[in-house]
Amino acid sequence: IVGELRQALTSNLAESRRVYSNWLSHPKNLAPPKPGEHPLASLFLDQEGKLRSPLTAALSWPHSMNNLQQSLENLDRLKETVEETFDEYFPSEGPDKDKREMFQHCISALAASKTDLEALHSNQCKDGLVILKAHLRPLLDPLDKLDYNISEAQYADFQVNDPFAKAFNAQAAAIHQHIKAVLNSCSAEEIMQQMAEQTCRRIEKAALTKRFSLFGALQFESDVRAICSFFTSVSEQALRHKFARLFEMSSLLNLESLEELRELCSELKWRLAPEEVRKLLMSRSDFEATEEQINYLLPR
């Protein structure tokens, strides 16, 4: 299993990833297909518009990923069936109970094979996300130029003309619809989990370079909540914890006094480093406190 199966899977994944990456670089291929049309239909055609032959998983990364996930599920079923059958013919207190040690050794090798394929699957999901992020990255670019040191009037305008979160969510939703249509649920879920994690890190990094007014802090919180809400709505597994640092940032930026900071410090078990907390508080253009006062309240 470790040998021939892994080699075949790895070979198909490597070749198909190259083909799929080129195909998906065209935005039209991310769009929902016409009714009755397969979402990967044009991937299976050559430059003359004819169906490729032979048509194998080596031409389709989603199919190669589905084969990998199916192999993992088959390993589980194989292990369960073999254990049940072995227990039936070689009970633990039977005359051949000495054979159980050899059997357990074989089963452990099967488990090791599964672990190896799970690692392959995880790495392939990361590679898949790299391909998909080409369509998502431009929607995060406005964040770099976005000014959060805004007035009440600018904040009111942002409530009507969303600066970036709405457009980001729309594109992320398009990506989710695509992978849900072409991938098994386990692979699609892992890619969305990784996308959420990387999105959080990207926003965290940007926030630590900004200046904020109180109204900008309110807008930042609104953006974070909108993006968190999207990822929560499309994920089967919990992922709100990935946004924990961003929510801490929002709480800090929305403080209006040293007393509120004192209360927050007594309640929170910080995920942010002290230097990050200090930097965020000092980034508030209208927070009336000296660096010395802030340092006194922060955890050592």
Side-chain angles (χ1 to χ4, degrees):
I1 292 173
V2 176
E4 292 184 13
L5 176 60
R6 193 185 195 287
Q7 183 177 359
L9 290 169
T10 302
S11 176
N12 282 347
L13 285 162
E15 176 59 24
S16 63
R17 187 171 64 248
R18 180 187 63 79
V19 177
Y20 177 71
S21 179
N22 291 337
W23 176 81
L24 201 62
S25 65
H26 302 284
K28 65 178 183 179
N29 292 328
L30 187 67
K34 297 177 182 178
E37 187 175 284
H38 193 282
L40 298 174
S42 60
L43 177 63
F44 305 142
L45 304 179
D46 62 20
Q47 293 181 344
E48 297 178 356
K50 298 178 180 179
L51 191 65
R52 297 177 186 272
S53 181
L55 192 60
T56 70
L59 295 173
S60 171
W61 183 79
H63 283 81
S64 294
M65 283 294 286
N66 293 339
N67 287 344
L68 174 55
Q69 180 58 34
Q70 187 63 58
S71 296
L72 285 165
E73 294 174 11
N74 289 344
L75 278 177
D76 282 336
R77 284 196 288 270
L78 174 62
K79 182 175 180 291
E80 182 181 351
T81 301
V82 168
E83 286 179 328
E84 289 177 356
T85 304
F86 189 85
D87 286 340
E88 179 182 350
Y89 288 97
F90 300 95
S92 58
E93 298 303 323
D96 295 316
K97 61 182 181 181
D98 57 310
K99 292 183 171 62
R100 297 185 68 84
E101 185 176 346
M102 183 182 299
F103 173 73
Q104 290 302 325
H105 177 73
C106 294
I107 288 295
S108 65
L110 202 61
S113 299
K114 183 187 175 186
T115 299
D116 183 56
L117 292 183
E118 285 175 335
L120 176 62
H121 178 266
S122 180
N123 288 331
Q124 286 295 316
C125 286
K126 291 176 183 176
D127 290 343
L129 180 56
V130 170
I131 296 171
L132 294 161
K133 276 172 59 179
H135 298 283
L136 196 61
R137 194 176 297 110
L139 278 301
L140 275 172
D141 287 344
L143 180 61
D144 294 329
K145 299 177 182 178
L146 184 59
D147 185 7
Y148 282 109
N149 194 15
I150 57 176
S151 65
E152 184 176 1
Q154 289 171 305
Y155 173 70
D157 180 64
F158 279 172
Q159 297 307 293
V160 178
N161 303 300
D162 185 90
F164 96 96
K166 187 175 180 180
F168 173 86
N169 283 349
Q171 186 70 341
I175 291 174
H176 175 248
Q177 287 299 317
H178 172 75
I179 63 175
K180 191 170 69 169
V182 302
L183 285 175
N184 65 85
S185 59
C186 291
S187 299
E189 176 69 20
E190 183 159 350
I191 288 174
M192 293 307 294
Q193 289 278 332
Q194 292 181 10
M195 185 190 296
E197 186 171 338
Q198 291 188 23
T199 299
C200 287
R201 290 203 299 263
R202 175 74 168 76
I203 298 174
E204 288 170 18
K205 183 179 178 181
L208 290 168
T209 68
K210 301 285 187 182
R211 291 282 289 168
F212 293 85
S213 65
L214 179 57
F215 288 106
L218 290 170
Q219 180 61 43
F220 179 75
E221 181 179 23
S222 175
D223 293 338
V224 169
R225 290 190 180 281
I227 293 172
C228 179
S229 178
F230 163 74
F231 278 109
T232 301
S233 71
V234 300
S235 301
E236 296 179 5
Q237 299 175 18
L239 53 64
R240 190 177 173 83
H241 62 281
K242 298 181 188 296
F243 287 80
R245 280 170 50 86
L246 284 173
F247 283 126
E248 276 190 11
M249 288 180 167
S250 296
S251 296
L252 279 168
L253 291 168
N254 277 283
L255 295 177
E256 297 188 53
S257 68
L258 281 171
E259 182 57 35
E260 288 184 355
L261 175 59
R262 184 178 291 107
E263 291 178 8
L264 188 65
C265 288
S266 67
E267 296 169 358
L268 272 183
K269 185 177 180 180
W270 295 99
R271 291 177 174 84
L272 296 172
E275 183 55 37
E276 291 174 319
V277 174
R278 185 180 298 105
K279 190 169 186 178
L280 284 166
L281 288 170
M282 295 304 296
S283 73
R284 268 287 303 278
S285 59
D286 49 5
F287 188 71
E288 296 182 0
T290 65
E291 187 171 359
E292 183 179 353
Q293 290 172 316
I294 291 172
N295 288 339
Y296 179 76
L297 293 176
L298 294 184
R300 301 296 190 271

